[in-house]
Amino acid sequence: MKTDTVLLEHGSGGMLTNRLIREMFVGSFSNEHLDRMDDAAVVRVGEGRLCFTTDSFVVDPIFFPGGDIGSLAVHGTVNDIAACAGRPLFLSAGFIIEEGFAMEELARIVDSMARASREAGVKVVTGDTKVVPKGSADKIFITTSGIGVVEYASEVSPSAIREGDAVLISGPVGDHGAAILSTRSDLGMRTRILSDSAPLGGMVQEVLRTGDAVHFMRDPTRGGLAAVLAEAAHAAGLTFEIDEQAVPVREGVRGLCEITGMDPLYLACEGRMVVICEGSGAPGILEIMRSHPLGRDAAIIGRVTRKGTRGRVVLWTIAGGSREVDLPEGELVPRIC
Amino acid sequence: MKTDTVLLEHGSGGMLTNRLIREMFVGSFSNEHLDRMDDAAVVRVGEGRLCFTTDSFVVDPIFFPGGDIGSLAVHGTVNDIAACAGRPLFLSAGFIIEEGFAMEELARIVDSMARASREAGVKVVTGDTKVVPKGSADKIFITTSGIGVVEYASEVSPSAIREGDAVLISGPVGDHGAAILSTRSDLGMRTRILSDSAPLGGMVQEVLRTGDAVHFMRDPTRGGLAAVLAEAAHAAGLTFEIDEQAVPVREGVRGLCEITGMDPLYLACEGRMVVICEGSGAPGILEIMRSHPLGRDAAIIGRVTRKGTRGRVVLWTIAGGSREVDLPEGELVPRIC
């Protein structure tokens, strides 16, 4: 679908986002780093490899169960660095604030960012503040960028994925998306769903210390687990067979999905990591994840094969059938992050 | 002035911006890099020194005489890297776009960014796109972050400024501010004022190759030349004596200032660099600047002394008197960059 204007769906993390990035941004800025369309760029500077990434945060509401726009802005960028096997070092923070925003809320957000940074072991070393007239922005937007060092020697990218690899997820999916959704309307939920927003750098570094079995990592944010798997399978040109039963989903998230008709696979996470690794290395990596507080409910959810039409994700459903998992087409939850 | 809400003045680059950064951001994030309150952080990674910076751009209008939000977002960040003696290498770009924004305008902006990046010798290697519902943002905001390598051995900071140093500016001041102002109301100007928006990395690297005479650099954006000088004099604890007659100001900018009652010293530039260097090195550096296309109208505008109350900027006016130049107190032109 070619459109004359930018649609909400262009920011969904799905089909239209993918096309906008590919046709507009990669088309104009084309270089060996951007063309990979990863969430972060691994660049060589001097003798070392650095990972560089950015994310803008426009989440609504700015305070939500389990976090706020400040902690989210730290976790999101730290996790993008972790996903490219980087050890996060430094963050920058750009604030766009609406005139009239409460100073006390800004202070809470900045405190939350500071706490999240300390927990993640990164320093906010530079920043910028813009204030726009009332009505020109909604409350506050924060853009964080991050630098990390990449010490893991092997490549971590879709092209490193091999037949026989295992697909793991570090915990239940959809918590963040469900937490935001639950703030927007009274769905009569009895249990309060908390965002999973958390910094994954520590857990990922432990996983990487096991050796060179890790082939691919990505934190499933907008578009959820489905978008990450669909993009990776397509880029790898291989088939991912996912066992729906094995994908951890919290009771509350499942309930909310039943009420709203949403699929937890498409709901955003902000504290989970998809890891694709050598099949033989998977049990060891699962154990390491499970022994980490942020990976207690990690699971092996599928494997990489050459069956059927390649570049696809096949979901073996709980009901006993199978269906294809593709990039989301619409925008499920605007301003999810 | 303590306020309960964020005011436009908090984004002016003046007094309130300074206080917000000092009390809120430096207060919460405190670390050896941020506490310096430079426009960029110089961090050690492995064997090398990197410069890391970020800026959010909310300029209105997004297309203005001499540039657009895209080229400005590249120049602004590249110039912050140049100001800390860095050679710009990589940029990230985070887009926050209002639903319904014209795809054709986005394409023009992205093309302009790509062109500006090529000219500045940097690569846009990573990015992010968020779309917010109509009315939640005004058209488009762009946050760029940049990484550069710092090869210049000596310190470039206010604390390196010494008595006897010379103060230089690389060209006429206030062009960008005047260009934006002139788009906002019909001031009956006969001459069209163009923004000076330009990438200064090349010129600055030539200046730095002269040796170790450079002690301080800063590109005067929000708050103009006045804000840069006031902050640097305060941080250095020395007196800057500036000769108003020597400060280059274009005819059109002077005319606009006469009509509006504004002072060109407080109007933003986006393609100028303030350089403070050893007095003996100043003529050589001036010559290098003037032989560069972006520094043709460079001038020595003052010197650093210990006279009077230190930490102040004294302007010797064209009328023959003197007055103190301080940080701007109000917000002259909201959404200037």
Side-chain angles (χ1 to χ4, degrees), chain A residues 22-30 34, chain B residues 107 110-111 114-115 118:
Chain A
R22 212 173 50 232
E23 294 181 359
M24 176 103 49
F25 299 118
V26 174
S28 284
F29 296 131
S30 182
L34 193 72
Chain B
V110 170
D111 274 351
R115 205 173 321 116
R118 278 193 300 274

Side-chain angles (χ1 to χ4, degrees), chain B residues 69-85:
Chain B
I69 192 170
S71 52
L72 186 65
V74 172
H75 296 155
T77 289
V78 158
N79 292 349
D80 281 348
I81 294 176
C84 68

Side-chain angles (χ1 to χ4, degrees), chain A residues 3-8 10-11 20 24-25 28-29 31-34 39-41 43 45 50 52-56 58 90-97 99-103 106-107 110-111 113-114 123-133 135-138 141 143 145 147 149 222 335 337, chain B residues 3-8 10-11 20 24-25 28-29 31-34 39-41 43 45 50 52-56 58 90-97 99-103 106-107 110-111 113-114 123-133 135-138 141 143 145 147 149 222 335 337:
Chain A
T3 64
D4 289 341
T5 61
V6 177
L7 309 176
L8 279 178
H10 283 111
L20 180 69
M24 176 103 49
F25 299 118
S28 284
F29 296 131
N31 58 63
E32 69 274 29
H33 307 291
L34 193 72
D39 280 351
V43 296
V45 178
L50 290 184
F52 183 33
T53 184
T54 196
D55 261 328
S56 292
V58 299
F90 303 110
L91 292 187
S92 68
F95 295 84
I96 298 172
I97 309 174
E99 179 189 13
F101 187 67
M103 206 48 100
L106 180 59
V110 170
D111 274 351
M113 288 186 80
K123 286 177 183 171
V124 178
V125 293
T126 189
D128 182 50
T129 312
K130 292 288 166 18
V131 182
V132 297
S136 295
D138 185 22
F141 302 145
T143 302
S145 300
I147 300 179
V149 282
R222 283 179 294 178
R335 297 184 63 184
C337 60
Chain B
T3 64
D4 289 342
T5 61
V6 177
L7 309 176
L8 279 177
H10 283 110
L20 181 68
M24 176 104 49
F25 299 118
S28 284
F29 296 132
N31 58 64
E32 70 275 28
H33 307 292
L34 192 73
D39 280 354
V43 295
V45 179
L50 290 184
F52 183 33
T53 184
T54 195
D55 261 328
S56 293
V58 298
F90 303 110
L91 292 187
S92 68
F95 296 84
I96 297 172
I97 309 173
E99 179 189 15
F101 187 66
M103 205 50 101
L106 179 60
V110 170
D111 274 351
M113 287 186 81
K123 286 177 182 169
V124 178
V125 293
T126 190
D128 181 51
T129 311
K130 292 287 166 16
V131 182
V132 296
S136 296
D138 184 23
F141 303 143
T143 301
S145 301
I147 300 179
V149 283
R222 284 179 294 178
R335 297 184 64 182
C337 61

Side-chain angles (χ1 to χ4, degrees), chain A residues 210-288:
Chain A
T210 59
D212 59 359
V214 173
H215 295 161
F216 172 81
M217 290 187 289
R218 184 73 57 90
D219 57 324
T221 58
R222 283 179 294 178
L225 177 63
V228 166
L229 295 177
E231 283 193 340
H234 178 78
L238 291 163
T239 305
F240 292 2
E241 295 189 71
I242 304 297
D243 175 10
E244 189 176 24
Q245 185 104 52
V247 178
V249 182
R250 285 191 203 286
E251 208 46 59
V253 174
R254 206 181 287 285
L256 181 133
C257 284
E258 274 163 18
I259 296 169
T260 58
M262 288 190 171
D263 184 338
L265 293 190
Y266 287 88
L267 278 182
C269 313
E270 289 290 348
R272 306 294 174 226
M273 191 65 77
V274 172
V275 175
I276 298 184
C277 65
E278 270 168 36
S280 59
I285 287 175
L286 181 68
E287 204 185 311
I288 289 169

Side-chain angles (χ1 to χ4, degrees), chain A residues 100-121:
Chain A
F101 187 67
M103 206 48 100
E104 180 269 333
E105 296 200 335
L106 180 59
R108 276 168 65 197
I109 290 166
V110 170
D111 274 351
S112 169
M113 288 186 80
R115 205 173 320 117
S117 305
R118 277 193 301 272
E119 277 171 25

